[in-house]
Amino acid sequence: TADAKAWRDSGLAAACEGVTVLGDGAYINTGLVVPHRKRPGRDLLPGEEEDNAEHRRVRARVEHAFARMKHYKILRDCRQRGSGLHHAVQAVAHMHNLALTA
């Protein structure tokens, strides 16, 4: 898909080498951890259903963090500045982790 091609071509795949990265169904066969898919004529196995539930829980936290960054317009201001997005995301994640430990 276009999302998977953008992931591979962006250089992010190389930057995330050795790191667990979650993706949605668009990132199948890219090395990202994606939810199990239901195949025609077969339900998900019990372990696969539990994996998908955990995947949803973790991704929801990530998506909420992106929503907070969008709310404060952090992503808009740095998306065209080379590694600006990378640094902004790291900074926000660090501040959020500090807030959780306080």
Side-chain angles (χ1 to χ4, degrees), residues 1-9 26-27:
T1 65
D3 287 342
K5 182 175 176 3
W7 165 257
R8 286 189 298 268
D9 294 348
Y27 294 94

Side-chain angles (χ1 to χ4, degrees), residues 12 15-16 19 65-66 69 74-75 78 83-98:
L12 284 172
C16 293
V19 176
F66 283 143
M69 288 188 282
I74 292 169
L75 298 178
C78 62
S83 62
L85 178 61
H86 172 75
H87 294 299
V89 170
Q90 275 190 324
V92 170
H94 183 71
M95 289 187 294
H96 180 69
N97 288 340
L98 287 174

Side-chain angles (χ1 to χ4, degrees), residues 22 53-75 89 92-93 96-97 100:
L22 299 179
E54 182 64 20
H55 191 274
R56 283 190 300 272
R57 278 192 290 275
V58 173
R59 271 192 50 98
R61 294 185 76 187
V62 171
E63 294 299 332
H64 289 144
F66 283 143
R68 282 191 295 275
M69 288 188 282
K70 288 176 182 178
H71 176 76
Y72 292 109
K73 299 181 182 166
I74 292 169
L75 298 178
V89 170
V92 170
H96 180 69
N97 288 340
L100 289 177

Side-chain angles (χ1 to χ4, degrees), residues 25-44:
Y27 294 94
I28 292 175
N29 298 323
T30 60
L32 275 65
V33 176
V34 297
H36 298 283
R37 296 181 89 173
K38 209 165 126 177
R39 292 179 184 83
R42 179 179 82 79
D43 288 335
L44 290 175

